[in-house]
């Protein structure tokens, strides 16, 4: 674990040296809170709480898809990356370090949403719900981390940037993150349970409200995690094999 922490520190330092990478992950969820949630649902305690949970899920998705999808692809182009693969620590240490750094950045990206909700809306949660929500963030990060890794290890940096941007908003809109739990358009309600974003936001809603999550959405979230883990593992092994041919 100490070596994994060293790699995590390296990843964090690399990210902090380019602050726009951190700001970018937090900007869209925070901007959506300010321009849509605060004026239209800010005075409704229930609606603001649901919207805040959705925007936190939005922030988690943004941080992980872009951080891993684009960041990993760019790292693969650096001369330093092939060298680190020759070190005796093995890939597990580097991989763990990257995940730990990603978790830290994920929590940082959601802080603006939490602050806006606390000071500018009527959203309220109990201490227990706050703790469950914080734990839920780590859980719902899984599919988006794996999606980002699959993109980052399977595509060159320019293609990874395009793909990450292309999949991001359809997943957010299709999963119902930009509307209330029961207010989405009909076609969104039809496809949402089959997208990982819906299962993720259902977990967040269940953590901070008394809503019971949709069983189909949770099952499909588990399916997505398994599938994306397989794709990310395949992409990593293929990339590693190409590097050492």
């Amino acid at each position: 674990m100490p070596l994994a922490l060293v790699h995590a520190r390296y990843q964090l330092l690399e990210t902090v040296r380019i602050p726009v990478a951190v700001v970018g992950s937090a900007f869209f969820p925070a901007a959506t809170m300010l321009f849509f949630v605060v004026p239209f649902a800010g005075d409704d305690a229930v609606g603001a709480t649901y919207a805040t949970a959705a925007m936190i899920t939005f922030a988690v998705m943004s941080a992980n898809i872009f951080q891993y999808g684009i960041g990993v692809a760019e790292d693969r182009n650096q001369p330093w990356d092939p060298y680190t693969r020759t070190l005796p620590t093995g890939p597990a240490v580097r991989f763990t370090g990257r995940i730990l750094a990603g978790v830290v950045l994920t929590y940082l990206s959601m802080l603006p949403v939490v602050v806006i909700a606390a000071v500018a809306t009527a959203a309220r949660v109990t201490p227990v719900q706050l703790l469950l929500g914080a734990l839920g963030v780590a859980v719902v990060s899984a599919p988006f981390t794996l999606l980002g890794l699959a993109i980052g290890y399977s595509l060159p940096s320019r293609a990874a940037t395009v793909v990450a941007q292309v999949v991001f908003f359809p997943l957010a809109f299709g999963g119902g993150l930009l509307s209330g739990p029961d207010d989405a358009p009909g076609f969104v309600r039809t496809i949402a349970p089959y997208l990982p974003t819906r299962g993720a936001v259902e977990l967040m809603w269940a953590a901070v409200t008394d809503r019971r999550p949709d069983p189909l959405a949770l099952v499909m979230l588990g399916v997505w995690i398994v599938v994306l883990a397989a794709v990310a593992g395949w992409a990593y092994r293929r990339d590693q094999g190409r590097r050492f041919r």
Side-chain angles (χ1 to χ4, degrees):
M1 181 58 73
L3 288 176
L5 292 177
V6 171
H7 279 274
R9 179 174 176 271
Y10 164 75
Q11 292 288 338
L12 288 172
L13 288 175
E14 284 292 302
T15 303
V16 171
R17 286 171 183 168
I18 309 176
V20 69
V22 180
V23 174
S25 297
F27 174 76
F28 287 112
T32 304
M33 280 289 293
L34 283 174
F35 292 115
F36 295 99
V37 176
V38 173
F40 297 108
D43 295 331
D44 179 0
V46 175
T49 303
Y50 276 111
T52 300
M55 288 304 100
I56 288 175
T57 307
F58 192 90
V60 169
M61 182 176 66
S62 172
N64 286 283
I65 290 179
F66 288 107
Q67 177 194 175
Y68 294 110
I70 299 175
V72 169
E74 291 180 344
D75 285 350
R76 288 166 54 224
N77 288 333
Q78 303 301 319
W80 178 254
D81 187 68
Y83 168 73
T84 58
R85 297 190 184 210
T86 67
L87 298 176
T89 55
V93 171
R94 295 176 58 246
F95 194 80
T96 303
R98 185 179 287 278
I99 296 298
L100 291 174
V103 170
V104 172
L105 294 173
T106 296
Y107 279 98
L108 287 176
S109 71
M110 63 175 247
L111 283 180
V113 172
V114 175
V115 172
I116 292 170
V119 302
T121 76
R124 293 294 181 267
V125 293
T126 66
V128 173
Q129 289 173 328
L130 181 63
L131 177 60
L132 289 175
L135 295 174
V137 167
V139 175
V140 302
S141 295
F144 309 118
T145 297
L146 293 168
L147 176 57
L149 290 171
I151 293 171
Y153 279 118
S154 60
L155 297 170
S157 58
R158 290 184 180 179
T161 300
V162 173
V163 171
Q165 293 172 339
V166 167
V167 303
F168 177 69
F169 277 107
L171 283 176
F173 184 76
L177 300 188
L178 305 181
S179 58
D182 302 311
D183 299 331
F187 76 95
V188 171
R189 290 199 298 269
T190 300
I191 66 173
Y194 300 98
L195 299 177
T197 37
R198 186 63 181 201
V201 77
E202 287 281 351
L203 281 178
M204 292 302 298
W205 284 334
V208 299
T209 70
D210 57 359
R211 179 182 174 88
R212 297 184 62 181
D214 179 4
L216 175 58
L218 296 185
V219 170
M220 291 307 302
L221 177 63
V223 171
W224 274 103
I225 290 174
V226 172
V227 171
L228 290 171
V231 174
W234 167 81
Y236 177 80
R237 290 191 299 272
R238 187 189 68 160
D239 179 67
Q240 190 171 40
R242 286 180 174 178
R243 299 276 174 166
F244 291 101
R245 283 179 182 175

